[in-house]
Amino acid sequence: MSDFPNKARVVIIGGGVVGTSTLYHLGKKGWTDCVLLEKNELTAGSTWHAAGNVPTFSTSWAIMNMQRYSTELYSRLADEVDYPMNYHVSGSIRLAHSKERMQEFERACSMGRYQGIPMEMWTPEEARARYPFLETHDLMGVLYDPTDGDIDPAQLTQALAKGARDLGQKILRFTPATGVTQHDDGTWTVHTEKGDIACDYVVNAAGYYAQRVGEWFKQYGGRTVPMMVMSHQYLLSEEIPEIEAWSKENGKKLPLLRDVDISYYLRQEKNGFNLGPYEPNCRAHWATADDPMPEDFSFQLWNDDLDRIEDIVTDAMERVPALGTAGVSRVINGPIPYAPDGLPLIGPMPGVKNAFEACVFTFGIAQGGGAGKVAAEWIVDGHTEWDMWAVDPRRYTDYTDHDYCVQKGMEVYGNEYAMHFPHHEWPAARDKKVSPVHARIGELGGVMGVYNGWERANWFAKAGDDTSLEATHTWGRSGPWEQRIREECEAVRDGVGVLDLPGFSRFNLSGDGAAEWLRGMITGGLPKAGRMNLMYFSDDCGRILTEMSCLRHSEDHFTLITAGAAQWHDFELLKNALPAGLSLTDHTTEYGTMIVTGPRSRDLFQAIGTEADLSLPWLSHQPATVAGRPCALARVSFAGELGWEVHCANEHQPAIYDAILAAGAKPFGMYALNALRIEKGYRAWKGDLSTDYSLLEGGLDRFVKLDKPQDFPGKAAILRERQQGVKKRFVTLIVEAGDCDAPYMSCLWHDGQIVGETTSGAWGYRVNASVALGMVRADLAVPGTALEVEIYGQKCRAVVQEDQPLWDPANERLRA
Ligand SMILES: Cc1cc2nc3c(=O)[nH]c(=O)nc-3n(C[C@H](O)[C@H](O)[C@H](O)COP(=O)(O)OP(=O)(O)OC[C@H]3O[C@@H](n4cnc5c(N)ncnc54)[C@H](O)[C@@H]3O)c2cc1C
């Protein structure tokens, strides 16, 4: 084949909406020498049969950003690339049957308005006036999103393809990729039946085939792509004269309807309806040995399975009786890939240099536009405009085996529109990673939560406490846990508590020159041997990439400790920059961590028996024995009291934990820790600390040493920002909250304008107040300034506090 391209900057494997959008966006960023390979015709995977709904709704800031961008792109794309297509911006209504659902809508509405989406809350009567076919007697209210709509997925893909081709990109249809080879310099050869293509970067955009394509990358450090495949059906009804008459009279389609508590969408399709249920008794496909994934499923569907969705169809016919007057004209039953949390994988491929993922999309039509932008930014710039941790492939580590993926995928599908309450932990596929004292924690009443696959106690229940999932169906602070969290915090304040923290990410760094290399990576300085400190990593824009605790053992030997969830993210950050001669190893699974903290913690260690020097100051660490077992004691406390972290090999943990309990420590959980840390203004990763903020905005100035000789990433940007001044500033707020504390991304208001957002919020049991951390317009970050924080639709007074911890501002208790 004469015009077969043997070279390309990027090769994208997969020509669905996502691969094509990535190609288009790479071209828009000036990388116009890229190739897309499609094994069949464009759209042959999931894209061709999608219903094409394009919502913006989400309670995740990142996902809403991505979907909002899609709607903005789709509105202009036909003109931009001169390819007409059917995109109907019909608006949508979401129906609320409960107070909690109304609160969720209020929250999304507020986030939407902050992003410039003019969402509105309607009464049932207002909804009925605009949607006369709707039964509203049992509704509490409705969320209206004027930007929602539907698009023809095939036309959208072809439009993106045309735009890409016009920019110079190449699309090879009927050209399956058959494998990849990585060379010593990190570049690739992608193999096809028609020839090889040399390239710098590869993107896996293979939709529901992504796991299969992902296998090729394992020999270069990759892992099994965490995903499974669900069957999703929608029904098209025959035409309905009433709908036709209404549409003619009003000159538009009905808004798209989602009855999220029942779990379906209902859209006007020509003069009938398209009904798409997400049924609880759902069906996974290609998940068992007797149902293998075929070599090729291009443009194929499964047979109808209407029994599964009968109840939902019946409910929809009661909600919109006009639906019941028409027969079913067609059923589409096709494959949708699911990651274990239902969100796609977009970003660097874990473990593999110069490879990226943009796959496993459950809502790829709605997200495709934004996903192309995000993927192209990752590839070209090495970072993204918005913090995209929510979809970063590295959020999953080594626990996502097949069984886990299938169970979680089914759970997410069956609860596609469920509310994600703050005290609710989803029950499927649990106990993937447990601490050596897991059974003991259970005996003590631990109510568990999952952190990077690890089970940790969120709180400790007493006999008679309601630990059912139903009890967690609230956005409120109150619940069976509240009194227990209070008791746990008070024990830490007045006595001593112990928290088992399995899965704290732990890396060992050593080798000649390790210190000097680290100095060039971080924004601040290193501790002396025997001491520890916090270090921050910036991206090139001066934004917060991550935070690690650094324990220095000798000149060139360090233990780096970081958030459980950050394990693969942070390891790769170090590994990808590691010079030859240095050693970096991950010991997360070999060690346990216990936080022992409270004013009586020193007495406790003395009582148990330790030869450690308990007078060593705050931020020191030492090898020690406790209860006759070897461990390390680090004098630090995320709870903000006198305390030590006990780090020990797994086999020693049960003995040490039991001794700590026997000496009188009260076990406490993650909820208490969250309450305790927020009173100290300690930031949490990917809530308060994210690439949505610069280090200077985040108030981390004291961890930035611009006068050091090393030219660390972000230095120039931070210097620039320091000269120009920050736009936002980190603040601690005391909130006159009602029943709920401020969740992440609650809007901050001042003088009728949104001036910032919260990054986390919780009740502080030591200061007896609702506390929020947040980012506010710099001129308002002045102690005493009164703002309002919008919490599930309620505007609550919030006052900016002094720039110091609310609890123990001088850190005297820590230093005691
Ligand atoms: C019934 C149904 C209704 C849906 N409705 C909606 C909706 O209303 N809104 C919404 O947002 N989403 C919807 N979806 C989901 C949506 O279809 C998918 O999320 C989206 O199409 C995924 O796009 P993609 O580009 O990631 O994957 P795909 O469209 O599957 O594209 C992947 C491509 O990769 C190609 N490929 C695979 N392996 C290779 C290889 N080795 N070499 C070359 N090419 C390869 C495949 O042929 C395929 O064309 C629906 C899905 C179903 C099943």
Side-chain angles (χ1 to χ4, degrees):
M1 204 191 197
S2 59
D3 59 350
F4 186 84
N6 299 112
K7 241 170 120 19
R9 185 114 57 131
V10 183
V11 171
I12 298 170
I13 301 171
V17 64
V18 175
T20 317
S21 176
T22 304
L23 187 72
Y24 178 65
H25 282 88
L26 283 170
K28 293 292 273 185
K29 287 181 84 68
W31 284 26
T32 52
D33 47 356
C34 307
V35 169
L36 182 147
L37 300 175
E38 168 51 50
K39 65 191 272 184
N40 195 283
E41 181 54 271
L42 291 179
T43 76
S46 288
T47 298
W48 70 278
H49 56 60
N53 303 330
V54 187
T56 60
F57 178 94
S58 177
T59 48
S60 153
W61 184 252
I63 302 296
M64 187 183 264
N65 251 328
M66 195 163 68
Q67 295 178 166
R68 175 187 50 77
Y69 174 88
S70 291
T71 60
E72 290 166 4
L73 173 70
Y74 301 169
S75 299
R76 60 170 198 268
L77 188 66
D79 290 339
E80 199 167 289
V81 303
D82 192 21
Y83 190 97
M85 57 183 157
N86 288 314
Y87 178 35
H88 309 113
V89 182
S90 58
S92 72
I93 54 173
R94 275 172 196 257
L95 313 184
H97 295 250
S98 67
K99 180 185 108 206
E100 288 74 22
R101 188 62 85 173
M102 287 294 281
Q103 290 174 297
E104 184 204 43
F105 286 177
E106 290 278 10
R107 170 159 161 66
C109 197
S110 157
M111 270 174 43
R113 288 191 196 130
Y114 195 7
Q115 290 204 8
I117 307 167
M119 293 182 181
E120 293 172 27
M121 295 297 292
W122 286 352
T123 62
E125 293 69 37
E126 286 170 324
R128 174 128 187 153
R130 276 113 157 169
Y131 199 121
F133 306 97
L134 188 68
E135 282 299 329
T136 55
H137 62 279
D138 55 348
L139 297 182
M140 293 201 63
V142 166
L143 171 68
Y144 173 64
D145 177 359
T147 66
D148 206 327
D150 64 274
I151 198 161
D152 181 317
Q155 289 177 346
L156 168 62
T157 309
Q158 294 299 346
L160 291 163
K162 175 168 189 303
R165 286 194 190 99
D166 289 349
L167 290 165
Q169 311 283 46
K170 291 206 163 51
I171 296 178
L172 306 185
R173 293 147 53 236
F174 301 100
T175 311
T178 53
V180 294
T181 303
Q182 189 166 37
H183 308 289
D184 290 345
D185 63 356
T187 63
W188 296 93
T189 298
V190 178
H191 309 289
T192 81
E193 287 164 0
K194 298 177 184 170
D196 289 348
I197 308 175
C199 61
D200 296 334
Y201 304 99
V202 188
V203 184
N204 179 355
Y208 55 74
Y209 301 92
Q211 197 171 70
R212 189 174 277 174
V213 168
E215 291 299 298
W216 304 335
F217 294 86
K218 274 189 166 168
Q219 57 184 310
Y220 305 110
R223 73 345 177 182
T224 302
V225 175
M227 63 171 288
M228 53 84 73
V229 176
M230 293 299 300
S231 120
H232 175 56
Q233 308 179 76
Y234 61 83
L235 329 177
L236 296 172
S237 80
E238 291 165 343
E239 305 238 320
I240 302 170
E242 282 170 273
I243 305 293
E244 183 177 9
W246 185 90
S247 257
K248 258 199 191 128
E249 192 184 329
N250 291 276
K252 59 181 179 187
K253 283 170 75 165
L254 285 163
L256 205 156
L257 181 159
R258 287 189 188 80
D259 198 343
V260 284
D261 293 317
I262 310 301
S263 196
Y264 65 86
Y265 56 83
L266 182 71
R267 188 180 90 204
Q268 183 179 340
E269 185 69 28
K270 303 211 171 77
N271 292 315
F273 282 111
N274 170 335
L275 171 64
Y278 288 95
E279 65 282 10
N281 57 334
C282 48
R283 171 89 155 90
H285 262 289
W286 306 332
T288 51
D290 59 358
D291 177 25
M293 185 173 171
E295 187 47 43
D296 188 11
F297 200 68
S298 301
F299 294 114
Q300 293 182 55
L301 295 171
W302 290 301
N303 294 333
D304 316 348
D305 187 359
L306 296 182
D307 289 352
R308 244 165 51 201
I309 55 176
E310 194 182 327
D311 290 352
I312 295 183
V313 175
T314 306
D315 204 293
M317 290 195 302
E318 283 166 17
R319 179 67 49 204
V320 180
L323 176 66
T325 64
V328 173
S329 71
R330 200 165 167 222
V331 179
I332 304 285
N333 183 1
I336 303 196
Y338 268 75
D341 57 5
L343 298 177
L345 305 175
I346 316 174
M349 184 183 290
V352 189
K353 269 192 174 178
N354 301 334
F356 294 85
E357 290 178 335
C359 51
V360 198
F361 279 77
T362 296
F363 294 104
I365 311 306
Q367 295 168 353
K373 166 185 153 66
V374 170
E377 287 172 351
W378 266 123
I379 299 164
V380 176
D381 305 329
H383 54 75
T384 54
E385 178 186 352
W386 315 305
D387 189 282
M388 295 308 295
W389 178 244
V391 296
D392 193 312
R394 297 167 294 186
R395 71 191 186 277
Y396 286 112
T397 60
D398 57 354
Y399 59 94
T400 56
D401 56 26
H402 177 74
D403 177 54
Y404 176 87
C405 292
V406 172
Q407 284 193 48
K408 290 308 274 187
M410 292 184 71
E411 181 180 59
V412 174
Y413 181 97
N415 295 279
E416 189 57 72
Y417 295 124
M419 291 175 269
H420 292 266
F421 295 113
H423 297 100
H424 184 269
E425 293 280 345
W426 291 94
R430 296 294 296 271
D431 290 354
K432 282 290 161 190
K433 289 187 165 194
V434 297
S435 137
V437 296
H438 181 68
R440 193 86 177 86
I441 301 276
E443 289 158 18
L444 292 165
V447 182
M448 311 305 281
V450 190
Y451 300 80
N452 187 25
W454 290 91
E455 297 283 334
R456 293 180 185 166
N458 280 332
W459 60 286
F460 286 84
K462 289 192 175 158
D465 285 351
D466 181 0
T467 57
S468 68
L469 283 178
E470 292 68 40
T472 65
H473 291 179
T474 172
W475 302 108
R477 179 186 318 116
S478 289
W481 50 82
E482 192 187 9
Q483 178 57 20
R484 303 293 164 245
I485 301 173
R486 179 182 293 283
E487 290 161 5
E488 292 169 25
C489 290
E490 287 173 355
V492 169
R493 181 194 65 192
D494 302 333
V496 56
V498 58
L499 182 139
D500 173 41
L501 202 63
F504 217 8
S505 307
R506 178 187 309 265
F507 314 134
N508 188 70
L509 173 71
S510 60
D512 282 351
E516 191 49 26
W517 173 71
L518 211 45
R519 278 193 204 96
M521 291 287 293
I522 60 172
T523 59
L526 293 175
K528 296 195 172 68
R531 306 280 295 170
M532 60 190 292
N533 71 2
L534 280 179
M535 356 185 265
Y536 289 87
F537 294 73
S538 162
D539 69 5
D540 289 338
C541 315
R543 303 180 307 175
I544 306 163
L545 260 188
T546 197
E547 171 200 81
M548 298 186 201
S549 292
C550 174
L551 285 72
R552 192 170 191 174
H553 304 291
S554 60
E555 173 60 22
D556 280 326
H557 183 198
F558 303 87
T559 296
L560 307 178
I561 294 182
T562 173
Q567 186 184 3
W568 280 13
H569 176 279
D570 285 5
F571 191 74
E572 289 206 4
L573 175 66
L574 298 166
K575 184 92 188 161
N576 288 344
L578 197 73
L582 295 191
S583 155
L584 178 74
T585 44
D586 183 334
H587 301 274
T588 304
T589 55
E590 297 155 35
Y591 287 86
T593 307
M594 289 161 282
I595 298 180
V596 179
T597 185
R600 280 198 46 243
S601 47
R602 183 177 282 122
D603 302 344
L604 177 136
F605 284 115
Q606 273 160 354
I608 297 173
T610 172
E611 88 303 351
D613 181 354
L614 297 174
S615 69
L616 288 186
W618 183 39
L619 302 179
S620 63
H621 64 95
Q622 59 185 313
T625 57
V626 171
R629 303 292 183 132
C631 61
L633 288 185
R635 172 100 192 261
V636 69
S637 166
F638 201 51
E641 299 287 349
L642 173 69
W644 284 263
E645 284 175 2
V646 184
H647 300 267
C648 64
N650 288 338
E651 66 265 30
H652 300 303
Q653 199 185 340
I656 298 178
Y657 188 67
D658 278 346
I660 291 170
L661 286 178
K666 181 177 174 68
F668 68 103
M670 297 300 290
Y671 291 165
L673 185 66
N674 188 46
L676 294 160
R677 68 95 197 167
I678 208 165
E679 292 168 305
K680 291 294 290 179
Y682 293 159
R683 280 73 152 172
W685 195 62
K686 289 303 175 194
D688 313 304
L689 300 171
S690 82
T691 54
D692 281 331
Y693 306 112
S694 72
L695 274 101
L696 299 186
E697 287 175 330
L700 300 170
D701 313 46
R702 70 183 186 285
F703 298 99
V704 179
K705 281 177 76 171
L706 288 172
D707 56 355
K708 68 178 184 177
Q710 293 81 10
D711 188 20
F712 58 85
K715 189 173 188 177
I718 296 175
L719 258 172
R720 224 172 16 252
E721 194 182 13
R722 180 163 282 175
Q723 279 155 10
Q724 289 165 358
V726 292
K727 295 195 181 72
K728 282 182 171 177
R729 263 243 167 247
F730 174 84
V731 288
T732 300
L733 300 161
I734 294 274
V735 184
E736 289 175 21
D739 300 337
C740 308
D741 301 310
Y744 169 70
M745 279 293 162
S746 301
C747 291
L748 295 172
W749 292 80
H750 184 261
D751 264 351
Q753 281 186 335
I754 299 179
V755 292
E757 65 278 352
T758 57
T759 51
S760 60
W763 187 264
Y765 292 88
R766 289 176 299 194
V767 299
N768 262 318
S770 183
V771 183
L773 307 183
M775 291 286 176
V776 70
R777 216 174 63 200
D779 61 302
L780 296 169
V782 178
T785 305
L787 307 171
E788 283 177 309
V789 54
E790 188 174 351
I791 304 178
Y792 302 110
Q794 297 270 315
K795 285 199 181 144
C796 307
R797 187 178 145 86
V799 177
V800 176
Q801 303 297 302
E802 294 289 339
D803 186 15
Q804 61 185 24
L806 289 173
W807 177 250
D808 187 23
N811 291 330
E812 284 160 9
R813 296 171 72 92
L814 282 166
R815 291 197 168 94

